[in-house]
């Protein structure tokens, strides 16, 4: 029997251990052949070497979760132990998507981000839906960079609707790239984490990586490419249909969006919502829903999102309970 002691330093113990050590108790139940004992700021593990290694790796992931999200619930522990019925060890094997600049390791940080990675492997078209801060765009960019590095595709094409400019970019100062920069800054930030500066500049100059407004996709066939449509909730029905029919041979497409942040005119319906309704039963299309649990920004962002979701749910309930409400047709 082997023993390993993990000392928890600079860790909020109450958050990590859970109420009445519930998180550690759940961990111990998942590994009945080993002993996991929590005392003060130490976790003592006794058991066989292979299982201790698994437990140690899992605890490191849970510590990383607390560091990023500021909390750890028994439900989070369960998610890490068992993602959709897949054993933890298998679910987290080879989880690194790509190695970025300065030793940055880019990998899914939550079970739903892992689902997004898996969906992109299994499907040529994936919808990634969720609020701001859930990492959907960042993971999508990482998957595109990996595909390019592995020579699975010849180019990356990233687009989004420039709603704030009404797609009428001609009135803005500068060339096309300068006009688009404010709308595409999150994309650039992600790429700069993953591709060395000189190589990124070369890729853009040679159009290996192309960043363009959605309006510029019209009339094209996007083949041998990894294509990302970001902020798709701000597309019209015509725009998203146009985009979806651009797919060519050997192409992968990820569409990201947050259906709670539509910036279209009040009477304009979101093309994303319509596309999801029409395509929900089409084989070969993956749909991944991320939530506040997946937020990787400041821990307050999660609380803010949950507060707004609660407020919206209360509004919907009041609306549904109104006595004079007309029935849906």
């Amino acid at each position: 029997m082997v023993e390993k002691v993990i000392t928890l330093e600079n860790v909020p113990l109450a958050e990590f251990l859970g109420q009445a050590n519930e998180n550690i108790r759940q961990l111990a139940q998942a590994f009945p052949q080993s002993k996991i004992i929590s005392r003060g700021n130490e976790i003592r593990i006794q058991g066989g070497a292979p299982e201790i290694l698994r437990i140690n790796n899992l605890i490191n992931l849970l510590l990383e979760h607390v560091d990023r999200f500021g909390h750890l619930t028994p439900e989070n522990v369960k998610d890490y132990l068992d993602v959709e019925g897949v054993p933890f060890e298998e679910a987290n094997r080879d989880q690194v998507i790509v190695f970025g600049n300065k030793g940055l390791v880019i990998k899914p940080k939550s079970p739903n981000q892992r689902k997004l990675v898996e969906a992109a492997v299994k499907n040529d078209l994936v919808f990634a839906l969720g609020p701001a801060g859930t990492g959907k765009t960042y993971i999508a960019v990482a998957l595109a960079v990996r595909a390019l590095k592995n020579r699975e595709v010849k180019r990356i094409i990233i687009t989004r609707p420039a709603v704030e400019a009404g797609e009428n970019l001609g009135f803005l100062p500068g060339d096309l790239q300068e006009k688009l920069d404010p709308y595409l800054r999150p994309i650039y930030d992600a790429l700069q984490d993953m591709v060395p500066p000189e190589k990124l500049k070369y890729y853009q100059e040679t159009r290996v990586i192309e960043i363009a407004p959605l309006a510029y996709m019209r009339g094209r066939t996007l083949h041998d490419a990894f294509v990302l449509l970001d902020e798709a909730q701000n597309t019209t029905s015509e725009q998203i249909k146009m985009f979806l029919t651009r797919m060519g041979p050997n192409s992968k497409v990820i569409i990201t969006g947050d259906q709670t942040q539509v910036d279209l005119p009040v009477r304009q319906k979101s093309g994303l919502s319509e596309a999801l309704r029409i395509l929900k039963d089409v084989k070969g299309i993956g749909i991944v829903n991320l939530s506040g649990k997946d937020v990787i920004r400041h821990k307050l962002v999660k609380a803010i999102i949950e507060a707004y979701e609660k407020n919206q749910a209360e509004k919907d309930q009041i609306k549904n309970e109104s006595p004079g409400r007309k029935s849906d047709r």
Side-chain angles (χ1 to χ4, degrees):
M1 181 175 287
V2 180
E3 180 175 275
K4 180 175 179 61
V5 177
I6 299 174
T7 302
L8 304 176
E9 297 179 348
N10 301 317
V11 177
L13 295 178
E15 291 284 355
F16 182 75
L17 301 174
Q19 187 174 3
N21 280 4
E22 177 59 29
N23 294 337
I24 298 301
R25 187 178 297 114
Q26 187 172 343
L27 191 60
Q29 289 172 353
F31 297 93
Q33 303 301 317
S34 299
K35 278 188 176 182
I36 305 176
I37 304 166
S38 171
R39 288 179 182 170
N41 69 335
E42 288 187 347
I43 296 177
R44 193 175 299 272
I45 312 168
Q46 298 173 343
E51 191 157 278
I52 283 184
L53 180 60
R54 291 182 62 198
I55 296 169
N56 183 70
N57 290 339
L58 176 55
I59 288 175
N60 285 334
L61 282 172
L62 296 178
L63 287 169
E64 189 173 353
H65 183 103
V66 172
D67 183 54
R68 285 184 171 272
F69 299 132
H71 70 281
L72 181 67
T73 67
E75 185 180 12
N76 296 145
V77 177
K78 182 178 183 301
D79 285 338
Y80 280 101
L81 284 167
D82 190 353
V83 182
E84 288 291 306
V86 179
F88 168 81
E89 184 178 40
E90 180 181 340
N92 288 277
R93 185 182 299 139
D94 301 326
Q95 63 178 327
V96 174
I97 301 173
V98 67
F99 291 97
N101 296 329
K102 299 179 181 179
L104 181 64
V105 178
I106 298 163
K107 58 185 178 180
K109 300 294 185 183
S110 73
N112 284 330
Q113 287 187 5
R114 180 70 193 183
K115 289 178 186 177
L116 174 53
V117 174
E118 292 169 351
V121 172
K122 296 175 183 176
N123 303 281
D124 288 336
L125 171 61
V126 176
F127 289 89
L129 313 171
T134 52
K136 55 189 184 297
T137 299
Y138 196 83
I139 293 294
V141 173
L143 289 167
V145 170
R146 180 175 73 177
L148 183 65
K149 285 187 174 183
N150 292 345
R151 299 185 179 180
E152 297 167 12
V153 297
K154 294 180 180 178
R155 55 185 174 153
I156 295 172
I157 300 172
I158 302 174
T159 185
R160 71 188 295 186
V163 167
E164 296 85 348
E167 291 281 10
N168 192 1
L169 299 168
F171 293 101
L172 297 177
D175 59 22
L176 175 61
Q177 208 63 53
E178 291 169 331
K179 295 173 194 287
L180 287 172
D181 272 355
Y183 308 105
L184 296 167
R185 179 46 51 191
I187 305 293
Y188 286 120
D189 289 345
L191 286 170
Q192 287 166 1
D193 277 352
M194 304 171 198
V195 183
E198 288 303 316
K199 184 168 282 190
L200 179 57
K201 182 180 179 182
Y202 170 77
Y203 280 160
Q204 288 186 264
E205 289 174 349
T206 56
R207 299 177 74 83
V208 172
I209 295 179
E210 179 183 352
I211 304 175
L214 183 57
Y216 283 62
M217 297 297 108
R218 193 176 301 277
R220 301 178 61 181
T221 300
L222 308 176
H223 57 83
D224 296 314
F226 199 113
V227 190
L228 168 60
L229 170 58
D230 194 33
E231 300 286 352
Q233 76 275 4
N234 290 325
T235 60
T236 64
S237 299
E238 294 77 13
Q239 285 175 328
I240 200 163
K241 180 183 177 184
M242 175 274 292
F243 174 79
L244 288 167
T245 55
R246 300 305 96 198
M247 285 184 71
N250 192 38
S251 287
K252 284 269 190 183
V253 175
I254 294 182
I255 297 175
T256 68
D258 177 2
Q259 292 173 281
T260 67
Q261 290 190 349
V262 178
D263 298 319
L264 294 168
V266 176
R267 297 184 182 277
Q268 180 73 63
K269 291 184 178 180
S270 169
L272 175 61
S273 298
E274 182 178 77
L276 290 168
R277 177 177 58 80
I278 294 171
L279 302 175
K280 67 179 185 297
D281 297 323
V282 176
K283 292 182 179 179
I285 297 177
I287 300 176
V288 179
N289 290 286
L290 296 97
S291 69
K293 296 177 184 177
D294 303 292
V295 171
I296 57 173
R297 294 180 181 171
H298 192 287
K299 59 185 178 183
L300 275 177
V301 176
K302 176 180 180 294
I304 290 168
I305 289 171
E306 289 177 346
Y308 271 92
E309 288 175 347
K310 181 181 178 182
N311 180 65
Q312 186 60 49
E314 290 171 351
K315 284 182 178 179
D316 292 343
Q317 184 177 1
I318 292 171
K319 183 178 178 181
N320 292 333
E321 291 174 354
S322 297
R325 191 175 72 90
K326 294 180 180 180
S327 59
D328 295 332
R329 294 184 180 181

